[in-house]
Amino acid sequence: GRPPHAAASAATSKKAASTPQTARQGRPPHQAGGKATTRSKEASRRKHLAGITRGDVRRLTRRAGCQRVAQLIYEEARIALSGFLQEVVGDVTVYTTYGKRKTAIAEDVFASLRRRTPNPPLRSESSKEQRQRSKAAAVAAAAVEERRLGARATPKRKR
């Protein structure tokens, strides 16, 4: 058979294979410590901004009504979109912590977006209902403006 030291080394190698050796024992591998490369915030931000592709920006501009997009617009749109998303996610975090929850829900996102849009659509509305609501809001705004102006808007009558 085998020499006695070979059997001991085989048992040790099986044990070593089954339990991962980390720099700090008892910790998961991602928390083990050791050599880690530091990355500047600028490089990290560039990496995240690269996730917003040219196609994404083109779709947004098409929806806004643009036919052609200049080359410099892509980077500006990425910066503006990431800033907007950071603000929304920050507000969502505030709503979640205020609700004493650890999980953000859709209502947190809706509340955050509602702060930023003048006339946000409701979730369950169809596009026809949205148009009707916006028409009604425009009529109501015109009525309020007319009442606010009052007598100043009507010309003086000649006697």
Side-chain angles (χ1 to χ4, degrees):
R2 288 186 179 167
H5 66 280
S9 65
T12 321
S13 65
K14 283 183 184 176
K15 184 180 178 185
S18 64
T19 59
Q21 294 293 321
T22 60
R24 295 163 120 179
Q25 291 297 325
R27 296 227 176 184
H30 67 278
Q31 293 178 350
K35 188 172 181 180
T37 59
T38 58
R39 198 173 220 192
S40 69
K41 287 184 180 180
E42 186 66 28
S44 176
R45 171 167 270 178
R46 254 187 263 122
K47 179 183 172 188
H48 291 300
L49 288 180
I52 303 170
T53 64
R54 282 182 51 145
D56 296 338
V57 175
R58 290 180 79 81
R59 278 187 290 278
L60 286 170
T61 55
R62 293 284 191 270
R63 181 172 281 198
C66 297
Q67 292 179 351
R68 298 179 69 175
V69 182
Q71 186 66 37
L72 297 175
I73 294 298
Y74 294 111
E75 190 61 30
E76 290 296 322
R78 285 184 184 114
I79 292 168
L81 186 59
S82 67
F84 175 77
L85 286 174
Q86 283 177 348
E87 291 175 4
V88 169
V89 170
D91 283 352
V92 168
T93 306
V94 169
Y95 283 116
T96 304
T97 54
Y98 182 77
K100 296 179 182 175
R101 289 178 274 110
K102 291 187 177 182
T103 305
I105 58 175
E107 295 301 323
D108 298 335
V109 178
F110 295 144
S112 176
L113 292 173
R114 200 175 302 124
R115 287 188 61 222
R116 286 173 169 67
T117 55
N119 195 12
L122 297 176
R123 262 195 313 177
S124 60
E125 284 184 330
S126 67
S127 59
K128 182 180 178 183
E129 290 170 335
Q130 289 176 11
R131 283 194 301 272
Q132 289 174 348
R133 188 166 69 89
S134 63
K135 284 180 185 176
V139 169
V144 168
E145 186 67 20
E146 193 174 300
R147 263 187 264 133
R148 187 176 68 80
L149 292 176
R152 290 183 291 165
T154 58
K156 292 184 180 180
R157 293 183 185 176
K158 293 183 181 178
R159 292 187 185 182

